[in-house]
Amino acid sequence: MEINRKIRSKKLSTRVDLTAMVSVSFLLIIFFMLVGELSKPKIMDLTLPNSCDISCGPIGCFKANRFYTILLDDNNKIITYFGLLELPIQSPKELQYGKNGIRKELFYINKKVREYSASIGKPNNGVIVIIKPSKKSNYANLVDILDEMKIANIDSYSIVDYYTPEETKLLAMK
């Protein structure tokens, strides 16, 4: 006599191996952390002059003893003057980029303006630099001059694309 036995299948383990999932998760976390860090905008602080520092009227701009103008032209040419071009405190001169050129001049002018401002009771007033790139100047020149502003600790500067007729003549002469 045979006993009718049911054949039962052997139960397998239902354990899932998550090793590959953990590896992929860590790779994704690292990827998004890296992308997030690289996508942050790299900017340079730009502090513009207060509206009370520059007040222009029918006879011209006031507080010209704080204005230092930088004209950028082609072939890495820099022409600067201190004050107003009509009545300059310092005559226009041509400078070069670098520590013995424009950087040295910026340190000197900023020191003199701060000393003068401290003598009249306004110790935090530094020089106001007006940067005027010409149509012939390149983008690298503008970036270089902005780097010089940062290195020389110039707090207040502005980029202006307007040239007066006198400034155009000055660029043509030098």
Side-chain angles (χ1 to χ4, degrees):
M1 185 162 154
E2 266 184 56
I3 301 176
N4 198 3
R5 293 188 179 185
K6 290 185 182 178
I7 300 176
R8 296 188 180 224
S9 62
K10 185 178 179 183
K11 293 208 174 195
L12 298 175
S13 167
T14 58
R15 185 171 167 227
V16 178
D17 187 15
L18 296 177
T19 307
M21 180 81 89
V22 171
S23 297
V24 169
S25 300
F26 279 118
L27 286 174
L28 285 172
I29 290 170
I30 291 169
F31 172 76
F32 285 115
M33 286 174 60
L34 180 68
V35 168
E37 187 62 32
L38 292 178
S39 67
K40 287 182 182 175
K42 307 292 185 218
I43 59 172
M44 180 183 287
D45 291 335
L46 177 65
T47 307
L48 297 175
N50 295 332
S51 60
C52 62
D53 288 335
I54 303 173
S55 55
C56 294
I59 59 172
C61 293
F62 300 103
K63 297 185 183 180
N65 59 350
R66 290 184 62 200
F67 290 143
Y68 186 69
T69 305
I70 300 174
L71 307 173
L72 304 176
D73 203 14
D74 61 343
N75 298 325
N76 298 330
K77 186 163 65 168
I78 303 173
I79 298 175
T80 65
Y81 61 89
F82 187 43
L84 298 175
L85 189 56
E86 297 80 29
L87 300 166
I89 297 169
Q90 183 185 68
S91 300
K93 60 182 173 181
E94 189 170 336
L95 296 171
Q96 298 297 320
Y97 289 96
K99 67 178 184 177
N100 292 325
I102 188 69
R103 187 178 309 161
K104 183 177 178 182
E105 185 73 14
L106 287 171
F107 277 121
Y108 174 75
I109 294 292
N110 198 27
K111 179 183 172 192
K112 289 296 180 187
V113 169
R114 286 193 185 274
E115 287 173 358
Y116 172 76
S117 296
S119 71
I120 61 170
K122 297 181 179 180
N124 294 331
N125 287 349
V127 67
I128 299 171
V129 178
I130 301 169
I131 303 167
K132 295 186 174 186
S134 71
K135 294 189 185 331
K136 297 177 187 176
S137 69
N138 58 31
Y139 183 72
N141 289 343
L142 183 61
V143 171
D144 289 342
I145 206 70
L146 290 176
D147 288 341
E148 296 294 343
M149 296 293 124
K150 189 72 171 173
I151 292 168
N153 294 323
I154 304 296
D155 296 330
S156 186
Y157 53 90
S158 180
I159 301 169
V160 180
D161 62 351
Y162 172 74
Y163 272 83
T164 63
E166 293 83 14
E167 289 169 336
T168 306
K169 289 176 188 173
L170 181 65
L171 283 176
M173 285 175 27
K174 297 236 175 189

